[in-house]
């Protein structure tokens, strides 16, 4: 069977900025027959995520992420429909997902490694299982519950950096749902800031490319910052940390400003910022959602309930066609999208 697939064409280098040309679309084939325990699937949606930048290097710098190999098919979160099955628990027409879905139009996969989806849980919006009702939503929800120490009635202020991104846009809303009394986002355009406030219920949003971020933080967070959902690292995080309260908490989700730099993860803080962290007893621990998979099922059901009730607003940037996945990745790394970056492969 002839298929199309996307392979890693070249590496940007440890400190390089990824471009669409780092990926290559090519024709390939898969077997015509399905073996016992396998299914043949047609790919519907693929997820494009910031963590994938690490996989473009020969060494990911992580013990749980494997690097993509040159001229080999890339992979990540994906959703598809079963077209043929020799797996006892999966039938033709079932919708399934995996964290290691190959970037190709169709594939033969081990049925044991697939999770069956229930479209009704997300009002039929299957792509949500890659974002708000998937690993992205889990990262936001479990990050806040496990590392944020949010308590209803405690009058806490949360700041979210990268707030218009896939995880940040959910984290601010979930922070409110979990009990924060004030939520402030930091994003890179006026449009993004407007969406955060008008559509997603943030109290305020700061365009870090305009004006004095420290001054605006003092204005919007008059009682200081109690919880910081950190997606970006770098200078923005240093500014936020300088205004954090005693015994406050950093949810260390991502450091996208550092992903094109050859630094350890999590990147060390500058000496002055590290001094503030220690003096104010601010927690800053690495957070890995895969360590909390025992809470996955209940957490996904909670996310789906909020989506159905309209309490969790979802934004997606959808790019059509497998051939455009490299461009979608480049755009995401440049901060060009709002919400989750999804590639629609086929309908």
């Amino acid at each position: 069977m002839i298929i199309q697939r996307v392979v890693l064409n070249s590496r940007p280098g440890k400190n390089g900025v990824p471009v669409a040309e780092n990926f290559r679309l090519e024709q390939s084939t898969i077997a015509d027959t399905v073996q016992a325990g396998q299914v043949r699937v047609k790919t519907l949606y693929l997820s494009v995520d910031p963590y994938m930048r690490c996989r473009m290097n020969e060494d990911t710098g992580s013990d749980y992420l494997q690097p993509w190999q040159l001229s080999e098919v890339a992979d990540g979160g994906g959703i598809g429909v079963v077209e043929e099955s020799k797996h006892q628990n999966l039938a033709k027409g079932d919708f399934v997902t995996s964290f290691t879905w190959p970037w190709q139009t169709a594939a033969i996969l081990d049925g044991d490694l697939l999770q069956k989806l229930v479209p009704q849980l997300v009002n039929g919006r299957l792509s949500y299982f890659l974002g708000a009702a998937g690993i992205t939503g889990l990262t936001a929800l479990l990050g806040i519950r496990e590392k944020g120490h949010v308590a209803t009635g405690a009058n806490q202020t949360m700041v979210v950096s990268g707030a218009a991104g896939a995880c940040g846009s959910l984290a601010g809303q979930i922070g409110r749902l979990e009990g924060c009394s004030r939520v402030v986002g930091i994003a890179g355009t006026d449009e993004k800031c407007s969406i955060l406030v008008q559509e997603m219920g943030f109290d305020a949003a700061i365009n870090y490319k305009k004006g004095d971020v420290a001054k605006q933080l003092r204005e919007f967070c008059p009682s200081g910052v109690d919880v910081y959902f950190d997606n970006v690292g770098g200078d923005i995080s240093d500014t936020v940390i300088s205004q954090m309260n005693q015994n406050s908490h950093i949810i260390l989700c991502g450091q996208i400003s550092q992903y094109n730099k050859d630094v350890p993860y999590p990147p060390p803080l500058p000496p002055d910022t590290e001094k503030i962290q220690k003096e104010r007893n601010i927690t800053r621990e690495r957070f890995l959602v895969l360590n909390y998979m025992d809470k996955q099922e209940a957490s996904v059901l909670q996310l789906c309930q909020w989506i159905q009730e309209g309490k969790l607003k979802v934004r997606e940037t959808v790019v059509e066609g497998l051939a455009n996945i490299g461009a979608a990745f480049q755009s995401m790394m440049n901060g060009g999208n709002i919400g989750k970056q999804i590639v629609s492969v086929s309908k």
Side-chain angles (χ1 to χ4, degrees):
M1 180 178 176
I2 298 173
I3 63 164
Q4 287 187 315
R5 68 177 192 171
V6 170
V7 303
L8 185 65
N9 186 51
S10 59
R11 300 188 190 278
K14 284 187 175 181
N15 300 307
V17 177
V19 294
E21 291 74 23
N22 292 134
F23 299 96
R24 182 176 76 247
L25 180 71
E26 63 181 28
Q27 189 170 285
S28 186
T29 60
I30 59 173
D32 291 325
T33 57
V34 176
Q35 303 299 317
Q38 294 181 330
V39 297
R40 188 180 81 246
V41 294
K42 179 174 73 171
T43 303
L44 299 179
Y45 299 103
L46 294 171
S47 176
V48 180
D49 302 286
Y51 82 86
M52 292 174 171
R53 172 62 185 86
C54 307
R55 302 191 68 189
M56 300 180 77
N57 295 336
E58 289 186 44
D59 180 4
T60 65
S62 167
D63 54 2
Y64 66 93
L65 286 177
Q66 296 300 312
W68 287 328
Q69 299 302 316
L70 290 172
S71 295
E72 296 292 332
V73 67
D75 68 299
I79 289 172
V81 60
V82 175
E83 294 192 312
E84 182 182 353
S85 175
K86 288 189 177 178
H87 188 278
Q88 60 181 356
N89 296 328
L90 296 172
K92 182 178 179 179
D94 285 345
F95 295 104
V96 291
T97 187
S98 168
F99 293 133
T100 56
W101 197 285
W103 285 9
Q104 52 194 56
T105 51
I108 294 177
L109 303 175
D110 181 348
D112 287 341
L113 302 181
L114 299 174
Q115 181 181 355
K116 188 174 176 179
L117 300 174
V118 181
Q120 293 86 347
L121 289 176
V122 289
N123 301 323
R125 296 292 297 270
L126 276 171
S127 58
Y128 284 10
F129 284 115
L130 293 178
I135 194 71
T136 310
L138 286 172
T139 299
L141 176 58
L142 292 172
I144 288 168
R145 287 183 171 176
E146 300 296 328
K147 299 295 183 182
H149 302 274
V150 173
T152 301
N155 199 32
Q156 292 164 297
T157 294
M158 171 186 280
V159 170
V160 183
S161 58
C167 198
S169 61
L170 299 172
Q173 298 178 76
I174 292 170
R176 171 86 73 202
L177 290 166
E178 289 289 287
C180 285
S181 59
R182 189 164 186 78
V183 179
V184 176
I186 302 175
T189 69
D190 289 343
E191 178 192 10
K192 291 177 179 179
C193 290
S194 177
I195 288 170
L196 291 174
V197 174
Q198 296 180 15
E199 186 177 312
M200 297 183 173
F202 284 62
D203 292 284
I206 298 168
N207 182 348
Y208 70 87
K209 295 180 180 178
K210 287 185 175 181
D212 186 330
V213 174
K215 180 180 178 181
Q216 291 178 80
L217 273 175
R218 285 191 292 272
E219 176 185 347
F220 294 137
C221 309
S223 299
V225 179
D226 301 294
V227 184
Y228 174 37
F229 200 100
D230 185 5
N231 285 305
V232 302
D235 294 342
I236 289 175
S237 289
D238 295 338
T239 302
V240 176
I241 292 170
S242 71
Q243 297 190 32
M244 293 188 73
N245 293 325
Q246 194 75 23
N247 302 317
S248 53
H249 305 283
I250 299 170
I251 302 166
L252 193 59
C253 179
Q255 302 281 277
I256 196 169
S257 72
Q258 309 297 303
Y259 284 170
N260 295 326
K261 301 176 183 179
D262 184 18
V263 294
Y265 187 86
L269 296 171
D272 288 349
T273 306
E274 185 178 20
K275 182 180 179 182
I276 291 172
Q277 181 206 350
K278 291 181 177 178
E279 287 178 348
R280 298 181 191 172
N281 192 36
I282 302 169
T283 63
R284 181 182 184 258
E285 302 167 338
R286 184 174 184 174
F287 170 70
L288 180 60
V289 70
L290 297 178
N291 290 338
Y292 301 94
M293 285 297 96
D294 59 316
K295 300 181 180 180
Q296 176 185 2
E297 184 175 355
S299 298
V300 167
L301 290 175
Q302 173 66 86
L303 292 163
C304 290
Q305 180 181 336
W306 282 335
I307 291 169
Q308 290 175 337
E309 293 172 347
K311 294 179 179 179
L312 195 59
K313 308 294 184 182
V314 182
R315 273 276 188 150
E316 293 179 321
T317 300
V318 180
V319 174
E320 299 288 339
L322 183 63
N324 296 315
I325 199 167
F329 188 86
Q330 179 179 343
S331 174
M332 177 202 60
M333 291 301 297
N334 290 335
N337 60 300
I338 298 174
K340 181 73 176 180
Q341 181 80 69
I342 299 287
V343 173
S344 176
V345 178
S346 58
K347 293 290 180 67

